[in-house]
Amino acid sequence: MNFPLFLLLIGVIVMIQPRTKRWKSRMTAHFKGDEKRVKQRANTFYLLGFAFIMAGFAYLYQAVG
């Protein structure tokens, strides 16, 4: 029962991470100010977090049902 909750928590953390000031400054430095690449990376993190959340709900549904 802990694994689905872990996936849900990790999903939320991964989705929130690109909104932090530190993450944005590091990605801007890494991509040398290319805002398009920074947005692409943020969207990738958002989708990855969403996938973790969906997997967590699937495991939770399987465990309960």
Side-chain angles (χ1 to χ4, degrees):
M1 190 71 166
N2 287 337
F3 188 63
L5 300 177
F6 174 74
L7 286 175
L8 292 171
L9 178 67
I10 293 300
V12 169
I13 289 171
V14 169
M15 288 175 82
I16 292 174
Q17 185 179 3
R19 297 175 189 257
T20 62
K21 196 177 213 180
R22 180 178 181 206
W23 189 91
K24 286 180 185 176
S25 66
R26 285 180 171 219
M27 286 297 113
T28 304
H30 179 72
F31 292 122
K32 297 174 182 54
D34 189 0
E35 200 60 37
K36 183 180 176 186
R37 297 282 308 269
V38 173
K39 280 191 175 227
Q40 281 179 331
R41 185 62 59 95
N43 288 339
T44 302
F45 269 70
Y46 186 81
L47 289 174
L48 182 65
F50 186 72
F52 273 107
I53 289 175
M54 289 291 106
F57 279 132
Y59 277 121
L60 195 61
Y61 179 75
Q62 188 178 22
V64 172

